[in-house]
Amino acid sequence: MVIAVIGDSHCSAEEAKLAETVGELLAQQGVTVICGGLTGVMEAVCRGAKSKGGLTIGILPGGDSSMANPWVDIPVVTGLGEARNVLVVKSAQAVIAIGGGYGTLSEIAYALRSGIPVIGLNTWSLSRHEREDNSIIGVQSATEAVDKAIALVKKHKVYEIASLRSQ
Amino acid sequence: MVIAVIGDSHCSAEEAKLAETVGELLAQQGVTVICGGLTGVMEAVCRGAKSKGGLTIGILPGGDSSMANPWVDIPVVTGLGEARNVLVVKSAQAVIAIGGGYGTLSEIAYALRSGIPVIGLNTWSLSRHEREDNSIIGVQSATEAVDKAIALVKKHKVYEIASLRSQ
Amino acid sequence: MVIAVIGDSHCSAEEAKLAETVGELLAQQGVTVICGGLTGVMEAVCRGAKSKGGLTIGILPGGDSSMANPWVDIPVVTGLGEARNVLVVKSAQAVIAIGGGYGTLSEIAYALRSGIPVIGLNTWSLSRHEREDNSIIGVQSATEAVDKAIALVKKHKVYEIASLRSQ
Amino acid sequence: MVIAVIGDSHCSAEEAKLAETVGELLAQQGVTVICGGLTGVMEAVCRGAKSKGGLTIGILPGGDSSMANPWVDIPVVTGLGEARNVLVVKSAQAVIAIGGGYGTLSEIAYALRSGIPVIGLNTWSLSRHEREDNSIIGVQSATEAVDKAIALVKKHKVYEIASLRSQ
């Protein structure tokens, strides 16, 4: 299972702590972490995952691997700039958003467009045409975020298998 | 001047009418229209622009030009899928969003991240971390959208020139 | 008709002269020029095209339009780095390669893969598995390059129409 | 260490055998294999690597992971089409090309442009402006390819460290 963790390259101490705990919990469940590979939330989640022996993938915007944080196991060098955002979320089965600016918002939008569930910790909320859009699943803690994300991936897989069988 | 018009490939009759009028008004002001090149809002804005002799550019997601709507003068074939969204907005000096789904939301996010002004007609509204984000400039009519977008580009250019002179 | 002209951002005076003449000839035939938008061959072809009233499109690798040469009418800002090379050729109906380094070679490869004809002026030649690959159509002058490219696009279109009619 | 193995999605039995052996040898040396994730050479190298307990990454052109071959551990979903070719080589420290068509040629070109060494097994050869370009390092066997690639990465790293120390 691969879960993306997204958020800003500059983040508060509180967001970094959340991200690090999310990384630890994902690694403990055997989940591979994918992220944008840079600093802030991306670095904290990788550090947490590595502290528990997890595997981390960083989808880098730049043209070489020099900007990867030290806890990225597999730097994917894209040179695509911000267009790399779509790769971060499409390579995952679920997304956990922690805080985040407009880059994170673009990733949330891409995930929702692809039907990939988004769990939010103190992140964006959306209204479309004056009606609230509750697609981002708000949670209150790192544990809740990880449990919810894993549960949704498993549920989705069961549906997929069921749907294949009924064909 | 190049202005991007973004919105869904499936849109309401009202949104199509708005987009067509926006296209007419932009063309009448000599503004080049850039969009995603497909149907819905993208087709309506191109049709409007062409009816007034404007120039239209379509940044296509597919690997050939067959999906371009008939009012695209210059189809840019990317084969990039949804990663092409970032090109639509970064190639413009301002963005007008009409309605729109998650693809449009990703474009709004990319524009705001790049400091490109976004004018919204019945589109998304955003809150970050429980505080309203008013970066999308809401307007009520096609005329207001076009006037506001052009005014912002001109204002920005004046600032740019002033800033260059003071160096 | 849109024809791509590709080559190095640093080129010899002879290559620049060739590119400029190619640009003039394309514009005189009403052909839109697409290129990578930077210096060298790209700048020369745009300058030539503009001197004859042509339209020029530059698919830029960077994240803003500041690197576009002054003869680009429509800068498409991609931020994609070298991944933008595929857009340059896929948006054209034929490609003229003038000299060129490895970036140009990647564009030639993409064009041949997509079945887009490549006309070469003092450019790469290829052997695959020890057998010569003559897919690049070698020519000796700017006039020959432009005539050949336009003829191939027209021939291809006739075939397309014939093939559609016979269905 | 990450090494890219590139080649066609449709390949001869001989090329598949070569690719499988290359995968086995890379995995035995603890090298991560990166490739385009599809069939042919890409599938054979992944199968070989997995048979020796290696780690495999597939940079997929499509918008979901359904086209990944069964021996890809980490499918990176790009939706970028052929623009994904640049990611395959830029994420590696060396490239081994086995046979290959124009897609492979675009990858060779991107690698050479980025200064990433390319080892060739029965693949393209190049002449530029009528002079042979010997940048592709030709070898005769899977063993030779893997030994050469690993040696070049190590040599390059030593140089990098030396160059850092002398600053």
Side-chain angles (χ1 to χ4, degrees), chain C residues 60-167:
Chain C
L60 299 166
D64 61 51
S65 62
S66 62
M67 303 292 286
N69 74 61
W71 291 275
V72 169
D73 290 319
I74 300 172
V76 176
V77 177
T78 74
L80 296 173
E82 297 160 59
R84 74 82 152 81
N85 292 3
V86 68
L87 281 68
V88 175
V89 296
K90 292 198 99 166
S91 300
Q93 283 109 48
V95 174
I96 298 173
I98 300 171
Y102 295 122
T104 302
L105 179 60
S106 73
E107 293 170 320
I108 291 172
Y110 275 131
L112 295 176
R113 178 157 169 77
S114 296
I116 298 166
V118 178
I119 320 298
L121 274 161
N122 198 24
T123 188
W124 291 92
S125 55
L126 309 171
S127 303
R128 178 161 35 169
H129 315 174
E130 320 237 321
R131 260 180 298 172
E132 226 174 305
D133 177 318
N134 293 309
S135 303
I136 302 171
I137 301 160
V139 294
Q140 302 304 322
S141 70
T143 309
E144 207 187 337
V146 170
D147 288 352
K148 192 75 191 164
I150 292 175
L152 283 167
V153 177
K154 285 187 177 158
K155 192 176 154 194
H156 189 250
K157 284 212 173 147
V158 171
Y159 279 140
E160 270 188 317
I161 292 161
S163 131
L164 285 168
R165 278 192 190 137
S166 67
Q167 279 171 8

Side-chain angles (χ1 to χ4, degrees), chain B residues 12-99:
Chain B
S12 67
E14 189 199 359
E15 287 169 340
K17 187 76 203 83
L18 269 173
E20 188 161 0
T21 309
V22 163
E24 291 169 7
L25 294 167
L26 288 171
Q28 282 171 335
Q29 303 275 342
V31 177
T32 298
V33 170
I34 194 163
C35 70
L38 304 179
T39 56
V41 161
M42 299 170 260
E43 181 164 354
V45 72
C46 289
R47 192 172 54 235
K50 291 315 294 174
S51 77
K52 302 296 179 188
L55 181 68
T56 60
I57 305 166
I59 310 286
L60 299 165
D64 61 51
S65 63
S66 61
M67 302 293 285
N69 74 62
W71 291 275
V72 169
D73 290 318
I74 300 172
V76 176
V77 177
T78 74
L80 295 173
E82 297 161 60
R84 75 79 153 85
N85 292 3
V86 69
L87 281 67
V88 175
V89 296
K90 291 198 100 165
S91 301
Q93 283 108 49
V95 173
I96 298 172
I98 300 171

Side-chain angles (χ1 to χ4, degrees), chain A residues 8-9 15 80 82-87 90 98-103 105-110 112-114 122-130 133 135, chain B residues 8-9 15 80 82-87 90 98-103 105-110 112-114 122-130 133 135:
Chain A
D8 228 331
S9 57
E15 287 169 342
L80 295 173
E82 297 162 58
R84 73 83 153 83
N85 291 3
V86 68
L87 281 68
K90 293 198 98 166
I98 300 171
Y102 294 122
L105 179 60
S106 73
E107 293 170 320
I108 290 172
Y110 275 131
L112 295 176
R113 178 157 170 77
S114 296
N122 197 25
T123 188
W124 291 92
S125 55
L126 310 171
S127 302
R128 178 158 38 167
H129 315 176
E130 320 236 320
D133 177 317
S135 303
Chain B
D8 228 332
S9 57
E15 287 169 340
L80 295 173
E82 297 161 60
R84 75 79 153 85
N85 292 3
V86 69
L87 281 67
K90 291 198 100 165
I98 300 171
Y102 294 122
L105 179 59
S106 73
E107 293 170 320
I108 290 172
Y110 275 131
L112 294 176
R113 177 156 170 78
S114 297
N122 198 25
T123 187
W124 292 92
S125 54
L126 309 171
S127 303
R128 174 155 45 163
H129 315 173
E130 319 238 322
D133 177 318
S135 302

Side-chain angles (χ1 to χ4, degrees), chain C residues 15 82-83 85-86 90 99-103 105-106 109-110 112-114 122-129 133 135, chain D residues 15 82-83 85-86 90 99-103 105-106 109-110 112-114 122-129 133 135:
Chain C
E15 287 169 340
E82 297 160 59
N85 292 3
V86 68
K90 292 198 99 166
Y102 295 122
L105 179 60
S106 73
Y110 275 131
L112 295 176
R113 178 157 169 77
S114 296
N122 198 24
T123 188
W124 291 92
S125 55
L126 309 171
S127 303
R128 178 161 35 169
H129 315 174
D133 177 318
S135 303
Chain D
E15 287 170 338
E82 297 160 61
N85 292 3
V86 69
K90 292 198 98 167
Y102 294 121
L105 180 60
S106 73
Y110 275 131
L112 294 176
R113 178 158 169 77
S114 296
N122 197 24
T123 188
W124 291 91
S125 54
L126 309 171
S127 303
R128 176 158 40 165
H129 315 174
D133 177 319
S135 302

